[in-house]
Amino acid sequence: MTAFEQLMAYERDTQALGQIAGRLGWDQETMMPRGATGQRGAEMAAIESVLHARRSAPQVAEWLEQAEAPDEVGAAHLREIRRSYDRTIKVPADLAKKLAQVTSEAQGKWAEARANEDVAAFLPVLEEVVALKREEGQALAAGGDLYDALVADYEHGTTSSEIAKIFDAMRPGLVDLRARVLDKPAPQGLSGRFDEKTQMQLARTLARTFGYDMAHGRVDKAVHPFSSGSGLDVRITTRTSETDPFNCFYSTIHEVGHGAYEQNISRDYLLTPLGRGVSMGVHESQSRIYENQIGRSRAFTGWLFEQMRDSFGDIGVSDADAFYAAVNKVHNGYIRTEADELQYNLHIMLRFDLERALMQGDLEVADLEAAWNDRFEADFGYAVDKPSNGCLQDVHWSVGLFGYFPTYSLGNVYAGCLHEALRRDVPKLDTDLAQGDTSAATGWLGEKLQQHGGLRSPRDTIAHAAEMEPDHAPLMDYLEQKFGALYDL
Amino acid sequence: MTAFEQLMAYERDTQALGQIAGRLGWDQETMMPRGATGQRGAEMAAIESVLHARRSAPQVAEWLEQAEAPDEVGAAHLREIRRSYDRTIKVPADLAKKLAQVTSEAQGKWAEARANEDVAAFLPVLEEVVALKREEGQALAAGGDLYDALVADYEHGTTSSEIAKIFDAMRPGLVDLRARVLDKPAPQGLSGRFDEKTQMQLARTLARTFGYDMAHGRVDKAVHPFSSGSGLDVRITTRTSETDPFNCFYSTIHEVGHGAYEQNISRDYLLTPLGRGVSMGVHESQSRIYENQIGRSRAFTGWLFEQMRDSFGDIGVSDADAFYAAVNKVHNGYIRTEADELQYNLHIMLRFDLERALMQGDLEVADLEAAWNDRFEADFGYAVDKPSNGCLQDVHWSVGLFGYFPTYSLGNVYAGCLHEALRRDVPKLDTDLAQGDTSAATGWLGEKLQQHGGLRSPRDTIAHAAEMEPDHAPLMDYLEQKFGALYDL
């Protein structure tokens, strides 16, 4: 075997172990007995330690030095293995192990603190997480910006200054659009109670409608919906609320966007460094375009309206236009994951600024709740009423995901670009969507973007598919047009 | 850190990784999407390869040489680590990896072949498994009997000749008792249809009644019920049949016996070599005494009769005596896991003799079905009607579990000894059981046996708890008395 072949065989096992670690995360959120938290921490620490050792093994450096890529794909493999190796050797094994253990425990404490509305119970372990992440960021940044180094874990090839520039350019427009919309009369919402089993049935129908492959996946419930796994085993989760079926359906479509991306990557890349979504931002572009530009379009909601009437009978709105308005209702609210398409990015900008300040040492964990509440009131015009509606609402920080939040809005920006190109290439799109047929849209995304996995950089992945450099203008135009029409602006 | 402490820290991670591998097995049987089989094979192979490397690392041998046990428990740790190390270095890493991969695939093929009644579709992969297991046995036996070497993986400190001696001693008595019982009129069975959701509810009640801790476990469905995991995360499975609720309830109680054993091991042994049930035979002694000597006793079935009437209304038998007879009805049947307490061991002896012959080269895989069917007809007096009732009924061989079957009957023998001692030490047992209170029985087992985990050898574990050397006489006496009384012999 050549050095390249040896490296690829080794990498295959590493990827397989990474899949196992991911599945443990799925299990923890869906199936694990509550009392198993402590043992799971030890288990996660053990497998993270194995992964760390494999990724940073001197043998990998030797193979990288000797390996010759047989082709362009091979070169991409080597590029990604090198990036992972360079990243990994900067973080001491003990730190990686400690992080796995503390964040595993922190998730349990976060869930408890959230249930009890008790920020103080969460802060000590969050303090530990923040300190460890700063330590990790410092090790990674090697003198540079430690938060940028963390962002690179989720979206390589960008910096927090670049992100801040995009966010700053979008924000005045969003604030203005939001103000104009909320000045108008609110459309009618749904009313009634919606059986949760029926919701799960329709959620599974929606998943299949968007091309999610149940032979290589499954749908379960979780407090915070997520998707997990790559290749032949890609699982998604959703949640139900008796009074808010849209939460279930659009969480499902969102996670299907993530899951279908993973399922549609070329099987040639199975258990290789290219066999996963290339970045969190690109991932989010898929979940968002499935959820919003397709799932919340006038055409698709016309079909969904009929489905919901078939499943639930009278749902409190009388026709498809009113249903479309209800789906896209702009409303006050505290929860990011329940936010409408228009205000969502403001929730992200809040988190981006706060976590950037936490990481850069400009904000103490002890002051986090106050900072959150002040910023929220400034942006949204009303005060946070309880921690579960404020700084305890998201699981991310307990898991150590600092640098992850901005990728949600980057994903929206990317989705805007892809949507513009999709409309150009598939003129009959609305005709299809009105019949509940998403195949032209998902097929276009599969061919232009999803199948390529990690072959290109995040930015080039979008540029290749959309045939334009990523830019926030298409998203802003789309939002302005959509909500302008909906609210008679 | 001393060599002993370093070794124990290392061992803790190895145990944690072993727990992860076990949980993947659970996932595969309960949750995994059907299309994920191939990828899961690669995942299992990767983690088995990691485990193999850790267990056979030269560093372990060095630590073992230098380590000094601080006390009796420390000495037991070292003894078990040494046994694992000696066992592991005998098997080449490639063979271990190949076995993991082939058996993972074989499980999928077995399930399909079983569903299609297609033995031929299963034989090629079984052939591969048998060849690999023989190779493994040869490596382990180092010139000795290769089947004995495989048995030692499940029940160390015994040989297949010793087992054959016990089985030979029991068999005439079982055949004779069976013939006398089946000469008598059959008692009435249950009748009606039993809602499967209600069965699962009562199954969970039964699990709790037998002391299974839901905060550290969960109950799911699987084709072939099993238990999985140690310490703080011990999961069990069961199955339901609309016409046969006993299948669900006694599978549940059986698996609770396994699960409670794992849950009740001293927390001091968590993620150490002593933190698991000491052997399959001792494990089976727990599942069997829960299921049979306790769960199928006249006293406990009196309580269960009331529970079932509360849950299902009329169940087709009129009083607790008739219910007791129905629970313990001796009936013709093909399926081991549905066999009654009396005939069960005959099913095991069949498998023991066939797999021993397969391993020793006296039987070809191609002749397995014929050999199974001949032996079955000779022992039970009627012919196997289809492969799913014959040689395709059990998952074990597809998983590579050769040497495992005999431990089921060893477990029955052990359970007989423990039951005799339990009755002696807890005279009020039947009074408690009649109220659905198993705490005196499970408490006795917890204190005498379960808490000690792997501290003593399998044989000594039983001898310590029962205060007698393991012997088949108590089991045979118990069966003779129980079925003699039930069938008026």
Side-chain angles (χ1 to χ4, degrees):
Chain A
M1 289 213 292
T2 66
F4 177 81
E5 287 162 347
Q6 287 179 294
L7 178 56
M8 288 303 291
Y10 178 89
E11 182 65 20
R12 182 180 158 85
D13 276 0
T14 307
Q15 293 289 339
L17 293 165
Q19 288 297 311
I20 292 171
R23 205 148 301 114
L24 282 183
W26 170 85
D27 182 86
Q28 185 156 336
E29 298 295 319
T30 56
M31 301 291 160
M32 188 183 83
R34 179 175 294 268
T37 310
Q39 180 170 330
R40 178 56 57 90
E43 291 169 4
M44 284 303 289
I47 195 156
E48 286 299 335
S49 165
V50 167
L51 281 165
H52 189 274
R54 289 186 68 89
R55 288 178 184 140
S56 59
Q59 175 72 68
V60 172
E62 282 170 38
W63 278 323
L64 279 170
E65 208 160 295
Q66 295 157 16
E68 283 173 38
D71 53 22
E72 195 198 350
V73 171
H77 284 312
L78 292 180
R79 183 196 70 218
E80 287 306 303
I81 296 170
R82 187 167 288 117
R83 197 165 64 80
S84 164
Y85 175 79
D86 289 346
R87 193 259 180 237
T88 311
I89 56 164
K90 289 182 182 158
V91 180
D94 283 354
L95 176 57
K97 190 167 170 170
K98 182 84 183 156
L99 256 168
Q101 205 157 17
V102 170
T103 54
S104 175
E105 281 165 30
Q107 284 176 72
K109 290 195 173 149
W110 163 77
E112 231 181 281
R114 184 172 176 265
N116 300 331
E117 302 290 356
D118 185 0
V119 177
F122 178 53
L123 293 188
V125 75
L126 178 62
E127 189 102 53
E128 277 186 80
V129 174
V130 166
L132 290 166
K133 289 301 290 187
R134 283 176 51 87
E135 202 179 327
E136 186 186 43
Q138 262 149 3
L140 290 170
D145 184 291
L146 74 88
Y147 181 61
D148 282 8
L150 296 176
V151 169
D153 273 353
Y154 310 107
E155 199 70 14
H156 51 283
T158 189
T159 66
S160 62
S161 311
E162 285 167 358
I163 295 170
K165 209 172 137 188
I166 296 173
F167 288 2
D168 288 349
M170 292 166 69
R171 202 158 155 204
L174 289 174
V175 168
D176 173 64
L177 181 57
R178 174 182 179 275
R180 284 184 288 141
V181 162
L182 286 171
D183 256 5
K184 295 279 183 170
Q188 202 181 354
L190 300 194
S191 62
R193 302 217 155 246
F194 300 83
D195 176 63
E196 296 180 66
K197 276 198 182 157
T198 311
Q199 287 187 43
M200 286 303 289
Q201 282 164 6
L202 188 45
R204 289 192 170 86
T205 300
L206 281 168
R208 277 185 286 259
T209 297
F210 276 84
Y212 181 70
D213 175 2
M214 290 289 184
H216 297 101
R218 51 179 293 136
V219 184
D220 295 280
K221 285 200 201 183
V223 172
H224 181 92
F226 65 96
S227 70
S228 163
S230 300
L232 308 182
D233 192 347
V234 183
R235 306 182 185 187
I236 63 170
T237 58
T238 187
R239 57 180 168 194
T240 56
S241 148
E242 216 186 24
T243 54
D244 182 9
F246 287 152
N247 192 318
C248 172
F249 300 147
Y250 285 98
S251 291
T252 303
I253 299 173
H254 179 97
E255 298 307 332
V256 162
H258 287 301
Y261 182 14
E262 293 290 341
Q263 287 182 334
N264 292 336
I265 292 172
S266 167
R267 291 281 155 88
D268 293 346
Y269 300 162
L270 188 67
L271 298 177
T272 76
L274 308 187
R276 290 169 305 168
V278 66
S279 73
M280 291 303 111
V282 176
H283 241 296
E284 197 69 8
S285 76
Q286 302 306 290
S287 59
R288 287 295 163 179
I289 196 170
Y290 278 55
E291 177 188 356
N292 290 331
Q293 282 91 347
I294 302 170
R296 288 195 169 93
S297 65
R298 174 62 185 81
F300 186 79
T301 56
W303 178 81
L304 182 58
F305 176 58
E306 296 302 332
Q307 298 297 310
M308 283 191 65
R309 291 235 291 204
D310 287 352
S311 293
F312 299 107
D314 178 22
I315 57 175
V317 294
S318 54
D319 62 31
D321 281 326
F323 183 79
Y324 174 56
V327 165
N328 288 290
K329 184 175 178 177
V330 177
H331 50 78
N332 288 334
Y334 302 102
I335 303 291
R336 174 182 61 84
T337 57
E338 295 169 4
D340 50 76
E341 207 178 343
L342 197 168
Q343 296 177 93
Y344 188 88
N345 294 309
L346 293 174
H347 287 272
I348 293 303
M349 291 163 187
L350 178 158
R351 286 154 179 76
F352 172 70
D353 287 340
L354 291 188
E355 70 174 26
R356 197 180 181 199
L358 275 175
M359 284 299 121
Q360 294 180 339
D362 299 329
L363 177 65
E364 298 297 318
V365 167
D367 301 326
L368 176 65
E369 185 180 19
W372 180 294
N373 292 350
D374 289 351
R375 167 68 177 258
F376 186 88
E377 190 158 3
D379 282 8
F380 293 84
Y382 47 95
V384 171
D385 59 346
K386 54 186 179 182
S388 64
N389 278 337
C391 66
L392 288 186
Q393 72 182 265
D394 295 308
V395 73
H396 299 59
W397 289 337
S398 77
V399 191
L401 297 175
F402 289 87
Y404 187 115
F405 275 125
T407 68
Y408 288 119
S409 284
L410 278 182
N412 283 329
V413 167
Y414 296 159
C417 302
L418 293 168
H419 179 236
E420 194 173 82
L422 170 65
R423 290 265 165 202
R424 188 182 60 222
D425 287 0
V426 185
K428 63 159 189 153
L429 187 63
D430 281 335
T431 316
D432 283 4
L433 295 181
Q435 323 264 325
D437 177 1
T438 73
S439 60
T442 55
W444 185 92
L445 288 163
E447 189 206 322
K448 295 281 183 180
L449 189 147
Q450 293 171 350
Q451 65 162 320
H452 302 299
L455 183 63
R456 302 180 181 90
S457 76
R459 194 179 177 88
D460 288 352
T461 297
I462 298 299
H464 172 87
E467 294 178 37
M468 68 175 284
E469 289 299 313
D471 187 284
H472 60 276
L475 175 66
M476 293 302 289
D477 291 348
Y478 155 81
L479 290 172
E480 184 70 47
Q481 276 178 33
K482 176 172 182 174
F483 290 95
L486 265 164
Y487 281 86
D488 269 333
L489 300 182
Chain B
M1 288 213 292
T2 66
F4 177 81
E5 286 162 349
Q6 286 179 294
L7 178 56
M8 288 304 291
Y10 178 90
E11 182 67 19
R12 181 181 158 87
D13 275 1
T14 307
Q15 293 290 339
L17 292 164
Q19 287 296 310
I20 292 171
R23 206 150 300 113
L24 282 183
W26 170 85
D27 183 86
Q28 183 155 338
E29 298 295 320
T30 56
M31 300 291 159
M32 188 184 83
R34 177 176 295 268
T37 309
Q39 179 169 330
R40 178 57 57 90
E43 292 169 3
M44 283 302 289
I47 196 157
E48 287 299 336
S49 166
V50 168
L51 281 166
H52 188 275
R54 289 185 69 90
R55 287 177 184 141
S56 59
Q59 174 73 69
V60 172
E62 282 169 40
W63 278 324
L64 279 170
E65 208 161 296
Q66 295 156 15
E68 282 174 38
D71 52 23
E72 195 198 350
V73 170
H77 284 311
L78 291 180
R79 183 195 71 218
E80 288 305 303
I81 296 170
R82 186 168 288 114
R83 198 164 64 81
S84 163
Y85 174 79
D86 289 345
R87 194 260 178 234
T88 310
I89 56 165
K90 289 182 184 159
V91 180
D94 283 353
L95 176 59
K97 191 168 171 171
K98 183 86 182 150
L99 255 168
Q101 206 155 18
V102 170
T103 54
S104 175
E105 282 165 27
Q107 284 175 72
K109 291 194 173 151
W110 163 77
E112 232 181 281
R114 182 172 177 267
N116 300 331
E117 301 291 355
D118 185 0
V119 177
F122 178 53
L123 292 188
V125 74
L126 179 60
E127 189 102 51
E128 278 187 78
V129 174
V130 166
L132 290 167
K133 289 302 290 188
R134 282 175 51 86
E135 202 179 327
E136 187 186 43
Q138 261 149 4
L140 289 170
D145 183 290
L146 74 87
Y147 181 62
D148 281 8
L150 295 176
V151 168
D153 272 354
Y154 310 108
E155 198 71 16
H156 51 281
T158 188
T159 66
S160 61
S161 311
E162 284 168 358
I163 294 170
K165 208 171 138 189
I166 296 173
F167 287 1
D168 289 347
M170 291 165 69
R171 205 158 155 203
L174 288 175
V175 167
D176 173 64
L177 181 57
R178 174 181 179 275
R180 284 184 287 141
V181 163
L182 286 171
D183 257 4
K184 294 280 182 169
Q188 203 183 352
L190 300 195
S191 62
R193 301 219 155 245
F194 300 84
D195 177 64
E196 296 181 65
K197 278 199 181 156
T198 312
Q199 286 186 44
M200 286 302 289
Q201 282 165 5
L202 186 46
R204 289 193 170 87
T205 301
L206 280 169
R208 276 185 284 259
T209 297
F210 276 84
Y212 182 68
D213 175 1
M214 291 288 184
H216 297 100
R218 51 180 290 138
V219 183
D220 295 280
K221 284 199 199 184
V223 172
H224 182 92
F226 64 97
S227 70
S228 163
S230 301
L232 308 182
D233 192 348
V234 183
R235 306 182 186 187
I236 64 171
T237 59
T238 187
R239 58 180 166 195
T240 56
S241 150
E242 216 185 24
T243 54
D244 183 9
F246 287 152
N247 191 317
C248 173
F249 300 147
Y250 285 99
S251 291
T252 303
I253 298 173
H254 179 96
E255 298 306 334
V256 162
H258 288 301
Y261 181 12
E262 293 291 340
Q263 289 182 333
N264 290 337
I265 293 171
S266 167
R267 291 282 155 89
D268 293 345
Y269 299 162
L270 188 67
L271 297 176
T272 75
L274 308 188
R276 291 171 304 169
V278 67
S279 74
M280 292 303 113
V282 175
H283 241 296
E284 197 68 8
S285 77
Q286 301 307 289
S287 59
R288 288 295 164 180
I289 196 170
Y290 277 55
E291 178 188 357
N292 290 332
Q293 282 90 349
I294 303 171
R296 288 195 168 94
S297 66
R298 174 61 187 83
F300 186 77
T301 57
W303 178 81
L304 182 58
F305 176 59
E306 296 302 332
Q307 298 298 310
M308 283 191 67
R309 291 235 293 203
D310 287 351
S311 293
F312 300 107
D314 178 21
I315 57 175
V317 293
S318 55
D319 62 32
D321 282 326
F323 183 81
Y324 174 57
V327 165
N328 289 289
K329 185 176 176 176
V330 177
H331 50 78
N332 287 336
Y334 302 101
I335 302 292
R336 174 183 60 83
T337 57
E338 294 169 5
D340 50 75
E341 205 179 345
L342 197 169
Q343 295 177 94
Y344 188 88
N345 294 310
L346 293 174
H347 287 272
I348 292 305
M349 290 164 190
L350 178 160
R351 287 154 179 76
F352 171 70
D353 286 342
L354 292 188
E355 71 172 28
R356 196 181 181 199
L358 275 175
M359 284 299 122
Q360 294 179 339
D362 299 329
L363 177 66
E364 296 299 316
V365 166
D367 301 326
L368 176 65
E369 185 180 17
W372 180 294
N373 292 350
D374 289 351
R375 167 67 178 259
F376 186 87
E377 190 159 2
D379 281 9
F380 292 85
Y382 47 95
V384 171
D385 60 346
K386 54 186 180 183
S388 64
N389 278 338
C391 66
L392 289 185
Q393 70 181 269
D394 294 308
V395 74
H396 299 61
W397 289 337
S398 77
V399 192
L401 297 175
F402 290 87
Y404 187 116
F405 275 125
T407 67
Y408 288 119
S409 283
L410 278 182
N412 284 330
V413 168
Y414 295 159
C417 303
L418 293 168
H419 178 236
E420 194 172 83
L422 170 66
R423 291 267 166 200
R424 187 182 61 222
D425 286 0
V426 185
K428 63 160 188 153
L429 187 62
D430 282 333
T431 315
D432 282 4
L433 295 180
Q435 324 263 326
D437 177 1
T438 73
S439 61
T442 56
W444 186 90
L445 288 163
E447 189 206 322
K448 295 280 183 180
L449 188 148
Q450 295 172 348
Q451 64 162 324
H452 301 300
L455 183 63
R456 302 181 181 89
S457 75
R459 195 181 175 85
D460 288 352
T461 298
I462 298 299
H464 172 86
E467 293 177 38
M468 67 176 284
E469 288 301 312
D471 188 284
H472 60 274
L475 175 66
M476 294 302 289
D477 290 348
Y478 155 81
L479 291 173
E480 184 70 47
Q481 274 179 34
K482 176 173 181 174
F483 290 97
L486 265 164
Y487 281 84
D488 266 335
L489 302 181

